[in-house]
Amino acid sequence: MPPNNDYVRQIDSDGFKQPFSFWRFVNLDAWLFFLLVVLAVTGLFVLYSASDNGVSTIKRQGVYMLLGFGVMIIMAQIPMLFYKRLSPILYLLGVGLLVAVLVMGTGAKGAQRWLVIPGVISFQPSEIIKLAMPLMVAWFLAGQHLPPTFGKILVVLAIVAVPFVLVLIQPDLGTSLLIAASGLFVLFLSGLSYWYILGALGVMVAASYPIWLFVLKPYQKGRILTLLDPERDPFGAGWNIMQSTTAIGSGGLEGKGWMQGTQSQLNFLPESHTDFIIATLAEEFGFIGVLLLLLLYFLIFCRGLMLAWSATTLFNKLLAGALILTFFVYVFVNMAMVSGLLPVVGVPLPLVSRGGTSIVTLMASFGLIMAVASDKQQFSS
């Protein structure tokens, strides 16, 4: 008997037909592709100013963006059945590589996050898990009767917990939380009872003090304390957030103009080309510029939800929904930490901050969403 899909939490959308046969032929969604191109170009425009007019930085970013779009296009051509069958293999491979990081990985600044194949490549296995996690949970739940029982929920939590812990002890709290979120979003979309959600929130509140005492490292506690009172260490831990909020506030409504920001151009703003790049944009283009960027992200988010809603199978629906919700979390966390609403956890702003493997991974996730959309078209034809 096939799984009962009646309890899948729906994502509102009416879906759009592809405007041209060309887009159906190449298995791409025209609207989503166009929005991603606009975001990528905007990101290069802002990054040029944030990196002190660094042409080499723009060239590097451009290469990774082209590579990312290439990966997205290739992944969109692969049938979803292949991804479904690949899910457990990719998950086990990712977990194995995370274990290898702890044994033989390389690191910097007190964190061990990289695997290096001499003369070939260096990469972060956590980037693989960002894709493998929602794939694995969607694969598991797509074969179950929904909504999931308590036992099935425990299995999903175990699937999520293993990579979460392996990334957390690298240590990389920000990435570990995002990985966990990508799996938990799949569980949420499967029709999880609100009683379970409220119960989980209660457990998190109850566990917050023990986590503070026994789990968080001193630098992580410092980030939380700095969030509550940045001026407790204005020239140390509080410097980043104080300079970023100053840059955001000084931009006003219309900003100071491209490459005219004092906080970024005079190097007061740290990491202005990576985690804090939105502060550079706010200073140079003001509140209006930030609103336009938010509108662009919102349109991408809505289009992703539409494609998730119109998916033809439970696996496709759960996967695409979780991926686009995770994208939203990336945007929200970055902007919240830069504006002083969340602790600084090192999350880049998608397709705007300087990046490498993170850009390719992000575009791969959109490739999966494109594959979901094309799978729908093939089914309907």
Side-chain angles (χ1 to χ4, degrees):
M1 180 180 295
N4 182 0
N5 301 347
D6 294 339
Y7 292 92
V8 178
R9 184 165 286 114
Q10 302 294 333
I11 306 173
D12 290 335
S13 154
D14 55 5
F16 290 126
K17 293 292 184 181
Q18 299 290 355
F20 305 106
S21 60
F22 167 78
W23 296 104
R24 290 196 295 272
F25 176 76
V26 295
N27 292 336
L28 296 175
D29 180 79
W31 292 106
L32 184 56
F33 185 87
F34 172 74
L35 290 170
L36 289 172
V37 170
V38 173
L39 178 60
V41 173
T42 301
L44 290 174
F45 190 74
V46 177
L47 182 62
Y48 181 76
S49 177
S51 59
D52 295 327
N53 312 335
V55 176
S56 60
T57 300
I58 297 302
K59 288 182 178 179
R60 177 184 180 276
Q61 186 84 341
V63 168
Y64 276 110
M65 284 185 173
L66 289 175
L67 178 61
F69 273 95
V71 168
M72 181 188 73
I73 293 171
I74 292 172
M75 292 187 67
Q77 313 310 310
I78 301 173
M80 288 303 300
L81 182 60
F82 173 82
Y83 291 120
K84 187 174 182 180
R85 292 173 176 172
L86 182 67
S87 298
I89 299 173
L90 186 62
Y91 175 82
L92 292 175
L93 174 64
V95 170
L97 291 175
L98 288 177
V99 173
V101 168
L102 300 179
V103 177
M104 62 184 71
T106 61
K109 299 180 180 180
Q112 188 167 310
R113 303 172 183 172
W114 296 79
L115 278 181
V116 178
I117 302 177
V120 181
I121 191 174
S122 61
F123 64 99
Q124 289 182 279
S126 58
E127 296 296 329
I128 297 176
I129 287 293
K130 287 179 181 179
L131 294 178
M133 175 66 78
L135 279 166
M136 181 64 186
V137 179
W139 171 83
F140 175 76
L141 289 176
Q144 310 297 323
H145 291 278
L146 299 181
T149 63
F150 182 71
K152 303 304 181 184
I153 293 173
L154 291 180
V155 173
V156 170
L157 293 180
I159 292 172
V160 172
V162 174
F164 170 78
V165 173
L166 290 173
V167 176
L168 180 64
I169 61 181
Q170 290 182 355
D172 191 348
L173 177 61
T175 300
S176 65
L177 291 174
L178 291 171
I179 289 172
S182 67
L184 295 177
F185 278 139
V186 180
L187 183 61
F188 170 77
L189 293 172
S190 69
L192 187 66
S193 169
Y194 286 107
W195 289 110
Y196 285 124
I197 298 174
L198 293 175
L201 292 175
V203 170
M204 290 173 59
V205 171
S208 58
Y209 186 63
I211 290 174
W212 175 269
L213 291 179
F214 305 111
V215 177
L216 294 182
K217 297 181 179 298
Y219 79 92
Q220 293 168 338
K221 294 180 181 179
R223 288 178 176 178
I224 296 175
L225 292 174
T226 299
L227 171 69
L228 300 175
D229 182 16
E231 295 184 358
R232 61 187 291 271
D233 187 10
F235 298 104
W239 176 264
N240 289 10
I241 190 63
M242 291 179 65
Q243 295 302 318
S244 67
T245 52
T246 298
I248 292 171
S250 65
L253 181 63
E254 299 179 351
K256 299 177 179 178
W258 189 43
M259 297 189 297
Q260 300 301 314
T262 54
Q263 298 299 111
S264 58
Q265 298 300 320
L266 299 178
N267 296 322
F268 286 105
L269 180 64
E271 304 296 336
S272 60
H273 57 297
T274 53
D275 297 345
F276 288 85
I277 195 169
I278 188 65
T280 301
L281 183 144
E283 184 180 27
E284 296 184 355
F285 298 97
F287 183 66
I288 294 176
V290 174
L291 278 183
L292 290 175
L293 181 64
L294 283 173
L295 175 62
L296 185 55
Y297 279 126
F298 179 72
L299 292 175
I300 292 173
F301 177 67
C302 289
R303 186 57 186 165
L305 290 181
M306 291 178 182
L307 297 178
W309 166 261
S310 59
T312 57
T313 69
L314 178 59
F315 173 78
N316 292 1
K317 191 180 294 289
L318 293 176
L319 177 62
L323 288 173
I324 198 64
L325 287 173
T326 304
F327 171 78
F328 167 79
V329 169
Y330 270 86
V331 177
F332 172 78
V333 170
N334 177 272
M335 291 191 174
M337 74 178 190
V338 171
S339 57
L341 300 177
L342 287 177
V344 177
V345 291
V347 175
L349 190 62
L351 288 184
V352 178
S353 297
R354 190 189 71 174
T357 53
S358 61
I359 291 176
V360 176
T361 303
L362 175 67
M363 297 309 295
S365 70
F366 280 109
L368 286 171
I369 295 174
M370 297 279 194
V372 167
S374 62
D375 193 61
K376 165 184 173 294
Q377 294 160 5
Q378 293 163 8
F379 182 84
S380 61
S381 61

